Amino acid sequence: MAHRKSAVQLYNHMARYLFISSAVLVSLIIISIIWFVGIQGLSTFRQASILEFFTSSYWNPETNHYGALTFITGSLATTAIAIILGGPLGLAAAVFMAEIAPPKVRSLMRPATELFAGIPSVVYGYVGIIVFVDLIRKTTQAPTGYGLLAGGIVLAIMILPTVISISEDSLRSLPATYKEASLALGATRWQTIRKILLPAAMPGVMTAVILAMARAIGETMAVQMVIGNSSRFPQSLVAPTSTLTSNIVMEMGNTPFGSTWNNALFMMSLILLLISLILIILVRISVRRGASY
Amino acid sequence: MKPRQADRLATSLLWLAASSIIILLGWFLVFILGRGLPCFSLEFFTGRDGVSSQLFNSFYILLLSLVFSLPVGIGAGIYLAEYAPANKYTDLIRLSTESLATVPSIVFGLFGMIIFVQVFGLGFTILGGAATLALLNLPILVRVTEESVRSVPENYKEASLALGANMWQTLRKVILPTALPGLMTGITLVAGRALGETAILIFTAGMNVSRQLFDVNPLAAGETLAVHLFAVKSNPLPGTNADQIADGTAALLIIVVLIFNLCLSLPIRFYQKRLLGK
């Protein structure tokens, strides 16, 4: 009996340490990602100029010119287009689901948005090539149709589930008294949404937009398939160009590990990593601000 | 404009926005399946350029990645839900999980390449691909586990502890069985996402496929369905009917995702209802 009891206690202790070490492992993983990618990326600047990397758009590794401005611009521009197109649409759908939709319609929209999130990004890229690139070429008379606009449109669709689900959650978590008080004062439903509910849910909506930005800027395959993959600085929204992610995919296979060219690609992924870490800190600030209401 | 008119206008615009999203999704599915289903044939699966090996690799890599990520993810989730004290270190672990969840998948891919291809010198392998894919699954598993463990009513735990059970017994016999449906839904979502992942795998599992069907050697390179769609669509090999292969592969991917989203999550929801109803 005493033996049996000590075995139970031993399991109890072992389980506790297993759980703690799993949690510590998660922290160690993110630290080692920053470390390894950081070391590899920063060693670019042993050979290349840091100023040129961020301010020049002349990318010609064969002659030792590593100006990554084109790719940085491409990533920021596609992300901006995605937020401008997808943000309002997603927010509208979230308001609809939280405040207007009859329960049956809502129970259809929930799984539909989940399905949007489940569609693989290569499939978005595939539809992007077949449909959007073609459509852009026909409507704008651009030579190819590949470019920032095609990338932005595909990303706008891909961020919808993020925007919708987080905004809807924050609208739903508002106290019912807000809405009741406003309606009791004679405000219409739209006045209540616009003047009361949306301002109160703003921190949550901000979180949704920031996470959508993180998703858009890091998205690789879908963008790579429709951006055109030219290292020229974008002359228009419909001219082929590149983003940080698409250029990594294009050039990683052709460059030997440890070369300056290869390191420059790691530097680009370090930029992506740092941007996503900054966005996470912004989310934390926005959540904390929401909590202090 | 009078407030009542504005209200009516806004309501109809919101209906329009929501229905356009549903129509977009419906059109997506009809478009992809409509193009892809006619391409399904015996040739498409087992012919010279058939995708049966890719289909097998997709599930094989998914399975291995879950083997790596489930114990750690569930362990960390239980720790955060039941053990973690509210202090700086716990906050650091939470921040790590959130950061890991926003790391772009291509960064995971490059990290996996440094570790498995360069440091361990394995080259492109199914093992390296699965282990790197596990990093993508990890933060979602931690969050889902924490949420479903937290959703177990507090008095279940208190009753078990009051009967003299220790924490481990309480977890195993009371908390985890109750949290299981939520956990299963989360694992299904993770699996669906991992099946479609591409950017991680082109740098770790490579774009080659074993000619031998059902090759389970984890040190071989293994192209998955999603990677195959990317390869076929971006560098079509001359002399193959690449467009048809791409159409069929996209449809097959969508079908797999639909199965994971609908057919697997419905029985779980049913079970959850029964569990909470009784």
Side-chain angles (χ1 to χ4, degrees), chain B residues 33-152:
Chain B
L33 294 178
R35 281 177 75 103
L37 288 181
C39 302
F40 282 11
S41 62
L42 205 60
E43 170 79 16
F44 171 71
F45 286 101
T46 58
R48 205 168 53 84
D49 303 311
V51 297
S52 52
S53 294
Q54 280 87 350
L55 187 60
F56 171 73
N57 283 342
S58 289
F59 284 99
Y60 188 40
I61 289 183
L62 168 67
L63 187 74
L64 281 180
S65 82
L66 286 177
V67 168
F68 292 132
S69 55
L70 277 177
V72 181
I74 292 180
I78 291 175
Y79 176 75
L80 285 177
E82 291 293 340
Y83 290 87
N87 62 18
K88 266 194 314 205
Y89 300 104
T90 307
D91 201 41
L92 188 71
I93 289 170
R94 249 175 244 284
L95 182 65
S96 311
T97 319
E98 286 164 24
S99 312
L100 211 55
T102 49
V103 169
S105 62
I106 190 164
V107 177
F108 282 127
L110 295 190
F111 173 70
M113 195 176 91
I114 298 181
I115 300 295
F116 295 102
V117 180
Q118 301 299 334
V119 175
F120 292 159
L122 294 174
F124 291 142
T125 58
I126 287 179
L127 185 69
T132 315
L133 196 55
L135 303 182
L136 180 83
N137 304 345
L138 201 53
I140 318 176
L141 285 172
V142 174
R143 205 194 59 222
V144 168
T145 309
E146 189 187 348
E147 274 171 12
S148 35
V149 167
R150 274 187 197 280
S151 70
V152 174

Side-chain angles (χ1 to χ4, degrees), chain B residues 143-228:
Chain B
R143 205 194 59 222
V144 168
T145 309
E146 189 187 348
E147 274 171 12
S148 35
V149 167
R150 274 187 197 280
S151 70
V152 174
E154 194 69 8
N155 52 14
Y156 286 27
K157 182 173 119 186
E158 283 159 7
S160 167
L161 291 175
L163 286 172
N166 63 27
M167 197 56 208
W168 167 239
Q169 290 168 321
T170 306
L171 267 175
R172 202 162 53 99
K173 298 274 167 89
V174 178
I175 295 179
L176 284 182
T178 321
L180 193 64
L183 215 55
M184 291 301 293
T185 317
I187 295 171
T188 333
L189 284 178
V190 167
R193 202 176 145 192
L195 270 173
E197 180 51 43
T198 317
I200 287 179
L201 294 174
I202 47 179
F203 297 121
T204 50
M207 297 170 67
N208 287 318
V209 66
S210 172
R211 282 284 141 233
Q212 183 193 341
L213 191 54
F214 306 139
D215 188 350
V216 290
N217 176 9
L219 294 180
E223 186 192 48
T224 64
L225 267 187
V227 175
H228 189 56

